[in-house]
Amino acid sequence: MSQKILLDKINIPGIKTYEVYRQNGGYASVEKAIKTLTPDEVVEEVKTSGLRGRGGAGFPAGMKWSFIDKKSGKPRHLVCNADESEPGTFKDRYLMEFIPHLLIEGMITSSYALGANLSYIYIRGEYMWVYKILERAINEAKAAGFLGKNILGSGYDLELYVHCGAGAYICGEETALIESLEGKRGNPRIKPPFPAISGLWANPTVVNNVETIAAVPWIVNNSGAEYAKIGIGRSTGTKLISASGHIKNPGVYEIELGLSVYEFMNSDEYLGGMSSDRPLKAFVPGGSSVPVLPAHLIYKTAAGEDRLMSYESLSDGGFATGSMLGSGGFIVYNDTSCIVRNTWNFSRFYHHESCGQCSPCREGTGWMEKVLHRIENGHGREEDIDLLLSIQSKIEGNTICPLGDAAAWPVAAAIRHFRDEFEYHIRFPEKIKHRDHFVAEPFEKVKHLVSKEMI
């Protein structure tokens, strides 16, 4: 059994309430930090831990904290990104819904470390019931003296608020989130200046993901050095994985980074293998924005090494033969899945969610969606595949925020690894008219038709 840091107490009856959470060691990190550590010492513990941002980018959290401007004299803010809008990802909702005080404790301890007296949790609009759970937890913590004026008699003040967004994927980008929090349209800002210098209301601001902040109490209680012992290499600690698709045991799992993909996929402790006797076809390890990998690159890297659940191993080989851990949205496909349809579905999402600020993204996401729709519905042309590659290459790296990359990478990877499936759609439109065309006749049984046409 792997060590649990975030989910070890989640099944305790009543853990949602302050009383039960407190009885089980809750808010100990706040007491330890405020009474025995300076803010800089808390930052150093997080740096030592090697904790990386769990929202997708994987940037070292302690280093990000150290960038915050302390010299200007301006108020500082901590903003928790609880927007969780990446398709395939639902682990932050799980934490907030079932153990809300862990996030509140993490927000208090982290705000103390940053010298922030006003902090926010920005939650997506569709999570209204979770919003109410967090509001209740904040009120309980405040009544117990862990929020408000003069926390624990230390002279440190903190007000914490939950702000509900309107359900925009773009507001998962930290500067768009800040714009929305200020009451504006959620458009990403041009950087620099970075939020650490000029963020919320032009004040120094740190934006961190729910899971990142929830790991801070354990680090403060047990030390950054102990946290760094968990995991592998620069992928330290544990990671929450949102698992879905054609597997026996979908759900949220906390794993020690470095676990093999094979064990995670097939052991009874985790996903339990495929949900039926259908073979594994592909998987997306980190949410819809990361490259899809075909079956032969899932358990082994191109170099023949075991593929591990870590930032480094999943990206081994670059995008040619690797992917990304991202937000941990682990989606599994069996051989009845249509990669073309899946890619079109993702493209529909990114077209809908583009803020429209950058021309390559505004025009390119819609163009890719139209071309993929054409191919999936039997109207594709031979030149469409290379057209898609051309469009995505002109989006990637040419936008203010990463949404453009998120839209481009899945298309490029799908064509890279499953080009023959795209060719099949174009050359045999009569065979893909039915929505579930690969259920009765999986692609492996008909791919020879594409090979024959190539001869």
Side-chain angles (χ1 to χ4, degrees), residues 257-379:
L257 287 168
L259 177 74
S260 75
V261 174
Y262 182 86
E263 183 178 351
F264 182 61
M265 267 287 299
N266 295 289
S267 72
D268 291 336
E269 182 182 351
Y270 298 110
L271 308 190
M274 302 298 287
S275 57
S276 68
D277 59 357
R278 307 302 318 180
L280 174 63
K281 178 175 183 175
F283 93 135
V284 171
S288 64
S289 63
V290 310
V292 64
L293 285 180
H296 71 278
L297 290 173
I298 294 176
Y299 298 140
K300 297 284 185 181
T301 66
E305 298 177 352
D306 287 345
R307 184 81 74 181
L308 307 178
M309 296 291 289
S310 72
Y311 291 96
E312 291 73 30
S313 183
L314 284 167
S315 63
D316 185 271
F319 282 177
T321 59
S323 185
M324 296 170 66
L325 179 59
S327 61
F330 196 95
I331 310 171
V332 179
Y333 304 95
N334 69 19
D335 69 340
T336 65
S337 301
C338 175
I339 297 299
V340 177
R341 184 174 189 84
N342 183 75
T343 308
W344 167 51
N345 206 30
F346 284 168
S347 289
R348 288 169 59 207
F349 174 81
Y350 289 112
H351 178 211
H352 180 267
E353 295 296 336
S354 173
C355 75
Q357 190 174 191
C358 304
S359 298
C361 184
R362 181 182 66 245
E363 304 300 328
T365 53
W367 197 358
M368 287 195 301
E369 181 197 343
K370 288 175 184 175
V371 175
L372 285 161
H373 178 271
R374 188 162 67 212
I375 295 172
E376 169 60 16
N377 286 276
H379 307 295

Side-chain angles (χ1 to χ4, degrees), residues 25-96:
Y27 292 97
S29 74
V30 178
E31 292 180 304
K32 181 177 180 179
I34 288 179
K35 292 180 178 179
T36 68
L37 299 173
T38 66
D40 286 345
E41 286 173 335
V42 178
V43 173
E44 284 304 311
E45 287 293 345
V46 176
K47 277 176 124 177
T48 300
S49 73
L51 173 67
R52 295 166 69 167
R54 302 305 198 216
F59 190 83
M63 187 180 297
K64 189 174 187 178
W65 288 11
S66 69
F67 293 156
I68 197 166
D69 179 14
K70 298 179 180 178
K71 296 178 181 178
S72 66
K74 292 181 177 180
R76 298 169 221 152
H77 307 288
L78 172 64
V79 179
C80 174
N81 185 347
D83 193 61
E84 190 165 53
S85 39
E86 179 82 356
T89 309
F90 43 90
K91 42 94 177 177
D92 291 341
R93 174 197 60 76
Y94 188 74
L95 268 181
M96 293 186 288

Side-chain angles (χ1 to χ4, degrees), residues 112-304:
Y112 170 75
L114 295 167
N117 301 113
L118 177 60
S119 295
Y120 290 90
I121 299 170
Y122 182 99
I123 191 167
R124 68 181 292 100
E126 291 88 342
Y127 285 176
M128 185 53 69
W129 83 99
V130 184
Y131 167 87
K132 293 175 181 177
I133 290 170
L134 290 177
E135 284 275 88
R136 191 179 309 118
I138 287 172
N139 290 334
E140 289 176 335
K142 192 166 189 175
F146 284 100
L147 282 169
K149 298 287 186 182
N150 194 25
I151 296 173
L152 301 180
S154 65
Y156 173 63
D157 305 334
L158 175 65
E159 294 296 336
L160 177 61
Y161 298 99
V162 187
H163 181 88
C164 208
Y169 176 78
I170 196 69
C171 289
E173 195 277 334
E174 61 180 8
T175 61
L177 185 156
I178 289 169
E179 286 283 291
S180 176
L181 193 51
E182 290 179 352
K184 305 171 189 172
R185 190 175 193 271
N187 279 2
R189 297 175 179 174
I190 295 174
K191 296 181 281 189
F194 290 90
I197 305 299
S198 180
L200 185 62
W201 300 306
N203 294 328
T205 304
V206 166
V207 181
N208 277 136
N209 173 260
V210 170
E211 184 185 350
T212 312
I213 293 170
V216 171
W218 194 97
I219 292 168
V220 170
N221 288 332
N222 296 276
S223 83
E226 285 300 310
Y227 188 88
K229 291 178 183 177
I230 306 167
I232 184 170
R234 292 190 300 112
S235 294
T236 62
T238 66
K239 178 78 183 77
L240 294 182
I241 304 295
S242 313
S244 62
H246 296 125
I247 48 175
K248 286 181 181 175
N249 306 319
V252 176
Y253 294 87
E254 184 173 11
I255 64 166
E256 290 185 19
L257 287 168
L259 177 74
S260 75
V261 174
Y262 182 86
E263 183 178 351
F264 182 61
M265 267 287 299
N266 295 289
S267 72
D268 291 336
E269 182 182 351
Y270 298 110
L271 308 190
M274 302 298 287
S275 57
S276 68
D277 59 357
R278 307 302 318 180
L280 174 63
K281 178 175 183 175
F283 93 135
V284 171
S288 64
S289 63
V290 310
V292 64
L293 285 180
H296 71 278
L297 290 173
I298 294 176
Y299 298 140
K300 297 284 185 181
T301 66

Side-chain angles (χ1 to χ4, degrees), residues 169 288-291 319 324 350 361 365 368 392-412:
Y169 176 78
S288 64
S289 63
V290 310
F319 282 177
M324 296 170 66
Y350 289 112
C361 184
T365 53
M368 287 195 301
Q392 72 81 30
S393 70
K394 290 174 174 61
I395 301 172
E396 183 181 354
N398 293 312
T399 55
I400 290 173
C401 86
L403 188 143
D405 295 341
W409 290 342
V411 173

